[in-house]
Amino acid sequence: MSVITASIYIAASPEDVWETVMDPARLERWVTIHRRLLRADRGPAREGFQMDQQLHLRGVNIDVHWKLVECRRCELAEWEGSGPAHSRARTRYRLYPEKGGTRFDYRNEFLVPFGAFGAIVSRAIVGGMPRREATRSLARLRDYVQSRYASVD
C-alpha cells in the first residue's frame, strides 16, 4: 500500500472550499490527473454518493469508481475507489478553520493487487508522481478557490 499526504492553507472559508472539492463538475479545475467525469449522482454530496472518473497517469487513462463512505459537511469526506485489476484507493479530505481561512488536508491510500510484486511494479511505474501531483493539485485548488471567492479577513 502507498500512502500520500499533502496539506495547504486556503484563504477562503471552509464552506467555499467544501463547495469546490465536493462538486464533481469542478474536478477539472484542480485535480491535475483528472481527465473527465464519466458519471456522478445528482444532488449534494452525502454518504453513498457515487461517481466515475477518468484519471491519467504516465500516459495511461484509468477509470475509477468512487463511493463517498463518510461525509461531514465542511469537515470531512472519505471516498473509496475501485479501479482496474482490482486496485483500490481511499481518499480523505479534512477541512479545518485556520487563521480566518481553511486548512485542507489530503490523504490517499492506494492498494495495488498482487501483493509485494504489485507494490514493486507500482513503485517502478509511478515512482514519486503521486506526491508531486497531490502537491500540484492542492496548489491549483488554492489558486482556484482564492480567485473565485473573496478572501476571508
Side-chain angles (χ1 to χ4, degrees):
M1 173 186 340
S2 75
V3 177
I4 304 300
T5 60
S7 183
I8 197 162
Y9 172 80
I10 302 171
S13 71
E15 292 80 12
D16 293 339
V17 175
W18 180 264
E19 291 302 318
T20 300
V21 299
M22 297 308 290
D23 181 354
R26 294 189 201 175
L27 289 168
E28 66 186 37
R29 298 287 189 170
W30 67 279
V31 179
T32 59
I33 63 171
H34 173 83
R35 286 303 168 258
R36 65 187 179 119
L37 181 64
L38 302 171
R39 186 201 66 76
D41 288 348
R42 292 179 185 231
R46 63 204 173 276
E47 287 183 18
F49 187 95
Q50 296 182 49
M51 70 175 171
D52 297 321
Q53 176 186 33
Q54 186 174 82
L55 302 173
H56 188 81
L57 272 172
R58 298 259 184 183
V60 177
N61 289 331
I62 59 170
D63 295 347
V64 179
H65 174 77
W66 294 102
K67 182 176 182 180
L68 190 55
V69 296
E70 190 170 352
C71 182
R72 293 195 306 268
R73 183 170 172 71
C74 300
E75 183 183 330
L76 173 74
E78 190 156 327
W79 296 90
E80 287 184 351
S82 57
H86 305 289
S87 59
R88 299 262 179 230
R90 182 175 285 263
T91 300
R92 179 182 306 143
Y93 307 154
R94 276 200 182 274
L95 291 76
Y96 304 94
E98 181 180 288
K99 298 178 187 172
T102 304
R103 170 65 51 187
F104 182 81
D105 292 343
Y106 170 87
R107 177 183 173 93
N108 181 274
E109 298 173 15
F110 180 68
L111 179 63
V112 294
F114 312 118
F117 175 73
I120 291 167
V121 170
S122 175
R123 274 193 298 277
I125 293 171
V126 177
M129 187 177 191
R131 181 169 311 284
R132 282 191 307 275
E133 293 306 321
T135 301
R136 287 183 57 221
S137 290
L138 292 193
R140 283 179 60 174
L141 173 64
R142 179 200 58 220
D143 295 347
Y144 174 71
V145 171
Q146 289 180 175
S147 71
R148 184 171 170 92
Y149 300 98
S151 294
V152 178
D153 293 323

